[in-house]
């Protein structure tokens, strides 16, 4: 079912004996629409698992966020396992791009959960990213940051 995927054109298709949802934002050139679609898909999964906390229950939100952050941390370690990074070994780079992508997508699910728990939107994600991006760009040109 694609119920809960608002403002997105969705198709359900079968792959490897499983149903998959292919979702495309109404405006595929709009990054906010893409982020909203991703949030809608993640909200649907979390709702089916019954994991989303009551927005009025601070204790449940704290517990949920702790679990999500621990899961994201674990998934980041799984991403690292797909990278040849050990200083005592000669090999470098990504071991298996498909496995790497899958692990990064797992991390993204948990990042989306963090935004969902706070009731944030695709616009919020986009604005947060752009604001931090601008700070980081400033850091690359500001001698105060380069000296520290």
């Amino acid at each position: 079912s694609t119920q809960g995927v608002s403002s997105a054109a969705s198709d359900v298709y079968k792959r490897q004996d499983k149903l998959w949802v292919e979702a495309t934002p109404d405006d595929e050139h709009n990054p906010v629409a893409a982020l909203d679609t991703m949030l809608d898909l993640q909200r649907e999964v979390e709702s089916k698992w019954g994991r989303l906390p009551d927005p009025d229950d601070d204790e449940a939100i704290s517990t949920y966020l702790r679990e999500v952050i621990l899961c994201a941390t674990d998934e980041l370690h799984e991403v690292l396992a797909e990278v040849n990074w050990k200083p005592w070994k000669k090999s470098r780079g990504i071991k298996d791009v498909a496995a790497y992508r899958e692990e990064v997508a797992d991390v993204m699910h948990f990042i989306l959960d963090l935004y969902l728990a706070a009731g944030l939107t695709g616009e919020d994600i986009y604005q947060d990213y752009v604001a931090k991006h601008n700070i980081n760009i400033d850091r690359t040109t500001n001698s105060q940051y380069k000296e520290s």
Side-chain angles (χ1 to χ4, degrees):
S1 162
T2 59
Q3 189 176 32
V5 179
S6 64
S7 73
S10 300
D11 295 311
V12 177
Y13 61 98
K14 195 170 185 174
R15 180 173 49 163
Q16 297 175 353
D17 296 325
K18 295 181 182 177
L19 288 179
W20 298 81
V21 175
E22 185 176 276
T24 306
D26 291 333
D27 180 357
E28 59 191 59
H29 300 293
N30 178 347
V32 172
L35 291 167
D36 280 332
T37 298
M38 291 168 66
L39 284 167
D40 288 343
L41 292 168
Q42 187 62 19
R43 184 180 298 106
E44 179 182 22
V45 169
E46 290 297 295
S47 295
K48 286 182 177 183
W49 283 331
R51 288 179 20 107
L52 283 176
D54 178 343
D56 297 324
D57 185 343
D58 288 342
E59 184 66 32
I61 291 169
S62 292
T63 299
Y64 178 77
L65 288 173
R66 182 179 60 246
E67 290 173 3
V68 166
I69 291 166
L70 288 169
C71 289
T73 302
D74 187 58
E75 292 298 335
L76 283 168
H77 285 104
E78 291 182 23
V79 173
L80 186 58
E82 295 303 326
V83 177
N84 291 307
W85 64 271
K86 296 175 182 169
W88 59 87
K89 292 194 173 187
K90 290 185 179 184
S91 56
R92 294 287 180 260
I94 297 171
K95 296 176 186 178
D96 177 342
V97 173
Y100 176 86
R101 287 178 63 180
E102 184 177 342
E103 298 305 339
V104 171
D106 285 342
V107 172
M108 181 59 73
H109 279 86
F110 292 111
I111 298 297
L112 292 170
D113 286 341
L114 295 174
Y115 277 90
L116 287 174
L120 299 172
T121 66
E123 180 68 27
D124 296 319
I125 295 172
Y126 185 78
Q127 292 301 323
D128 293 349
Y129 176 84
V130 169
K132 188 61 177 188
H133 172 78
N134 290 333
I135 290 168
N136 288 338
I137 290 297
D138 184 51
R139 288 176 175 164
T140 67
T141 59
N142 186 326
S143 62
Q144 172 189 346
Y145 290 109
K146 288 186 174 187
E147 293 171 5
S148 58

